[in-house]
Every structure is written in C-alpha cells, then in structure tokens.
Amino acid sequence: MVRAAFCRIRDFNSFTVLESVTEMRRLGKTGLSVAPIVIGGNVFGWTADEKTSFAILDAFFDAGLNTIDTADVYSSWVPGNKGGDSEEIIGRWLSQAKVSRDKAVIVTKVGSDMGQGKTLKETYILKAVEDSLRRLQTDYIDVYLSHWPDEDTPHEETLGAYAKLKQQGKIRAIGCSNYDAKLLQASFDAAEKAGLPRYDVLQPEYNLYERASFEGPLADLCVKEDIGVITYFSLAAGFLTGKYRSKADTQGRAREGRVSKYLDDKGLRILAALDTVSAETGAKPAEISLAWLLRKKGVTAPIASATSLSQLESLAKSATLALSDDAMALLDEAGA
C-alpha cells in the first residue's frame, strides 16, 4: 500500500513536470515492486508520436514512477503500423534514457494476432520473445504476459515455454491477461502438477464502468493466491476523464468507437458521481477514477495512458489521492 508520498512541481525545458517520491507496491510473488500507477504504452506510435512518447516517459520516471506496460501487437490497428511500434519506441527511449535498465519494470505481452492468429504455442512464444527483446533493445523482459487465452494450446505447453525463457534469463516473471477465475485456476493446477512456473500477474479489464468480470471470484482468487493485478482500460478508453459527455464529443477522435459504448445511463451516472467527488476534493475525474481503483480489493496498480505532460501530471497525482469512504460508496453505487 501507499503509506507516504510527497511531490513538487518544477519547470523543465518549458514543460511542467511532476516530481514525487512514492512508496512502491509488491507485484504479487514476482519479487518486483511497482509504483501505484503504470504507464500504458498502447498510445506510443498511435496518439503519441515518438517525441511526445519520449517526453512522457522521461517525466514519468522523473515523478518516481517505474513501470511501463506494452504488447507486441501495439499499435497494429493504426493504418501503416505493423505491430511492435510501441515496443520499438520504448526500446529507442531505453537506449538513450538517463534511467538505468534495472530501475525500469517493463511489461509486454505475447499471443495476439500478429498475422498468424492468436496463439500461445511454445514455438511461437520462443520466436516472439526474441522479436520483443530486439524491439525493446534489452536483454530481458521483467513481466511477460499471455495476452489472450488459447483454448487450442495446453497450459503445460505455454508454461513450459516460459520456464525455458526464465531459465535463460530472458524473462523474470510471467502473467496473463483476459483470464477468468476458472481459467486462471486451471493454469495454477497445470503448473503445480507439471512442476512449472505459474502466472503471478493478472492484467484484467477493470474500471468504474466495467466491474463484473473482475469483482467476485476472480478478485477473490487473486487475493488468495497473492497475484499482482495491474488493470487495463482503467479510464475506460478515456471516458472516465470526463471529457466525453455526448456522442458529439467523440466524433473525429481516435477513440470514437471505443468511448461511445460508455455513453449510456450507467456512464452518465458515473460521470455525475465523479463530478460530485471532484467538487468536494478539487481532483480531476481521471485522478478520482484511478484512486478508486487503488482502493479496490486485489488491485496492485492501474495502467493509464497519457498523450501529454499535463495528462501525465494528473495521473501521477492520483497515486497520492485519498478518497473518503463516502466518496468510495458514491462511486461504487453509481457504477454498480
């Protein structure tokens, strides 16, 4: 948990940069420690060009934060991109950054469709990790995640591939994304029976709007098994920043298709609750949404993206925002 933190603002090359010292959180049984906010690399090479991405990463680490999340498939959905674009930008930043490699926790994922369909077969993983290492310009990946379940590949085969990579020192810890409680438990059972490493990190979709898939059995299992949980879509594709209040607000935006689904009665109730808490605390909706996640059972740290330094400053503030029980109850009810 975050027990003590302080921050200050300074000017840096005409930008305002948030500097802070924040107590770290254990990432389950991985032996790694992460700051309360993880920077999402999905925007690198998409809505943030390389220069902007470098500035965001510099400021992120200046703020005492330390973990970057990406995937081999980011950002293949952008016309002209091939996938691996985010990893390449992070790799070029790592090669010239003032931050030493051991101070950065790099999370990336394997198994998405890079032209061969979604797969977690051993031969594919052993090749894909080499591609990610090359793009990231590093000798090892701190946390390597199975991006999607693969019902055609036994857990033992996938975990066996990871065991080889851990032995070779190419990855430090493993985890999975988009697994439900039943599938995660099955992977634990397979690992124990075969004497293979288990998943120690989970990356689920979880935010004020999307709650049902994590809360309940999956969250309970993560707490029971001491799984590190880093949530994605923590701001619901930007909806929980409060800047999208109607369909008109989304038109022509890069996230138009992703945000529109939240503009229903439930979404508007959540925005109203965020406005109420914002008026009481002076915090922005995005800061409140992330602070809410940081108080939820089982959550280690939410992932959030930034495309400007002002957005990054707001994300960093959320790590030290303490919400009252009344505020938590109001937000819980709105998004129930």
Side-chain angles (χ1 to χ4, degrees), residues 154-191:
H155 295 296
E156 292 86 351
E157 179 178 344
T158 301
L159 297 174
Y162 293 143
K164 290 180 181 178
L165 294 176
K166 289 186 80 170
Q167 278 187 331
Q168 295 167 5
K170 293 178 180 178
I171 60 176
R172 297 178 66 188
I174 60 171
C176 55
S177 184
N178 301 298
Y179 279 46
D180 61 19
K182 183 178 179 181
L183 194 58
L184 185 59
Q185 182 62 62
S187 76
F188 293 158
D189 295 342

Side-chain angles (χ1 to χ4, degrees), residues 45 199 201 271 297:
Y199 293 129
V201 178
L271 291 181
K297 182 176 76 171

Side-chain angles (χ1 to χ4, degrees), residues 209-235:
Y209 189 102
E210 298 286 357
R211 292 169 54 182
S213 62
F214 179 68
E215 291 182 357
L218 186 54
D220 292 342
L221 180 60
C222 288
V223 171
K224 176 174 174 277
E225 296 292 338
D226 193 12
I227 302 300
V229 176
I230 51 177
T231 62
Y232 77 87
F233 272 16
S234 306
L235 293 176

Side-chain angles (χ1 to χ4, degrees), residues 49-70:
D49 61 19
E50 184 162 312
K51 181 179 178 181
T52 302
S53 301
F54 277 24
I56 288 168
L57 287 168
D58 285 340
F60 181 77
F61 280 84
D62 280 347
L65 307 171
N66 72 329
T67 305
I68 308 169
D69 175 81
T70 187

Side-chain angles (χ1 to χ4, degrees), residues 120-127 129-130 133 139-141 144 155-174 194-198:
L120 292 173
K121 294 194 177 301
E122 178 178 357
T123 53
Y124 179 76
I125 290 172
L126 297 181
K127 178 184 180 300
V129 75
E130 299 298 338
L133 288 168
D139 295 329
Y140 65 94
I141 292 163
Y144 204 36
H155 295 296
E156 292 86 351
E157 179 178 344
T158 301
L159 297 174
Y162 293 143
K164 290 180 181 178
L165 294 176
K166 289 186 80 170
Q167 278 187 331
Q168 295 167 5
K170 293 178 180 178
I171 60 176
R172 297 178 66 188
I174 60 171
L196 294 167
R198 70 164 200 176

